[in-house]
């Protein structure tokens, strides 16, 4: 029996980028930004964070970002039950390519480099499921699009929403149980 394919985004799904932006903001302003101020938008659209998007182009920015709680364990489980691919639109930020490659080696060593997809436009991706934090990636996806909750997408509707890695595992346990009936 063929395993179903999952395309899994990195940034703000596996990897917490907001954490780095908040730290940079605290260093610059000596205050913690109010989450309500960036709810429904990208962190770099926050008032006073005008140049923050430029950090994404810097070598090393993506190198040691924290992994979301529960992500490694659930990804390992998914990898055992599905054909899993890590799909990241890394081309926009060329320095991120090497950072992300080594990040995956460090935090998800059970994922083979053959399962890495570094792309520009995710509309080319052919899988049964895609977990992403950006609606524009899910809008062109032909399979089941699953929206992973991030501060910038809290107002988005129209997709199955997964708020954390426990919910990801529950969703796919249910999908597997449907197959067995």
């Amino acid at each position: 029996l063929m395993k179903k394919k999952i395309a899994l985004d990195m940034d703000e799904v596996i990897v917490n980028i907001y954490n780095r932006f908040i730290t940079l903001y605290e260093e610059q302003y000596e205050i913690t930004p109010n989450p309500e101020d960036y709810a429904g938008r990208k962190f770099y659209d926050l008032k006073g964070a005008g140049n923050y998007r430029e950090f994404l182009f810097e070598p090393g920015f993506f190198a040691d970002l924290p992994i979301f709680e529960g992500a490694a364990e659930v990804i390992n489980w998914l990898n055992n039950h599905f054909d899993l691919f890590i799909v990241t639109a890394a081309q926009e930020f060329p320095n991120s390519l090497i950072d992300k490659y080594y990040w995956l080696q460090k935090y998800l060593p059970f994922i083979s480099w053959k399962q890495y997809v570094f792309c520009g436009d995710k509309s080319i991706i052919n899988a049964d499921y895609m977990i992403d934090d950006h609606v524009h990636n899910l809008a062109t996806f032909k399979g089941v699009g699953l929206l992973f909750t991030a501060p910038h997408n809290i107002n988005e509707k129209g997709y199955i929403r997964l708020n954390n890695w426990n919910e990801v595992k529950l969703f796919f346990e249910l999908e597997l149980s449907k197959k067995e009936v």
Side-chain angles (χ1 to χ4, degrees):
L1 196 66
M2 293 263 306
K3 289 182 178 178
K4 292 208 171 194
K5 286 187 176 78
I6 299 174
L8 180 57
D9 181 34
M10 276 185 79
D11 303 330
E12 283 310 298
V13 174
I14 304 172
V15 181
N16 186 339
I17 289 184
Y18 275 79
N19 186 282
R20 171 70 45 86
F21 280 129
I22 290 166
T23 300
L24 291 166
Y25 191 91
E26 288 170 340
E27 288 170 0
Q28 183 176 356
Y29 296 107
E30 297 181 1
I31 58 165
T32 300
N34 184 339
E36 292 174 12
D37 293 338
Y38 55 86
R41 65 173 104 174
K42 287 292 200 173
F43 189 87
Y44 43 77
D45 292 332
L46 178 66
K47 189 176 181 196
N51 65 339
Y52 278 46
R53 191 170 189 282
E54 296 304 311
F55 286 117
L56 298 171
F57 293 93
E58 290 184 8
F61 179 86
F62 291 89
D64 60 351
L65 294 169
I67 189 168
F68 279 114
E69 183 180 341
E73 298 80 5
V74 175
I75 292 168
N76 193 19
W77 181 85
L78 289 171
N79 194 45
N80 290 322
H81 293 88
F82 296 88
D83 283 335
L84 185 70
F85 296 89
I86 307 298
V87 178
T88 182
Q91 304 300 346
E92 184 179 359
F93 310 108
N95 287 313
S96 78
L97 292 165
I98 196 75
D99 288 349
K100 288 181 176 198
Y101 178 89
Y102 287 117
W103 190 98
L104 287 165
Q105 297 277 303
K106 178 180 177 180
Y107 288 96
L108 303 175
F110 49 85
I111 300 289
S112 164
W113 61 268
K114 293 178 183 180
Q115 295 168 270
Y116 303 168
V117 180
F118 296 107
C119 62
D121 183 346
K122 292 185 185 177
S123 68
I124 194 75
I125 301 303
N126 182 16
D128 298 291
Y129 306 93
M130 180 186 283
I131 304 173
D132 206 296
D133 63 307
H134 283 293
V135 170
H136 70 265
N137 291 323
L138 299 176
T140 58
F141 182 63
K142 306 231 182 334
V144 177
L146 303 164
L147 185 63
F148 196 86
T149 298
H152 63 267
N153 70 29
I154 59 165
N155 300 319
E156 298 289 350
K157 306 270 187 270
Y159 293 93
I160 297 168
R161 183 178 287 278
L162 301 172
N163 294 300
N164 56 51
W165 281 95
N166 289 335
E167 290 185 15
V168 171
K169 185 159 188 216
L170 289 170
F171 177 88
F172 284 102
E173 284 174 338
L174 187 61
E175 292 300 292
L176 285 174
S177 72
K178 289 178 189 175
K179 190 170 75 172
E180 294 165 4
V181 175

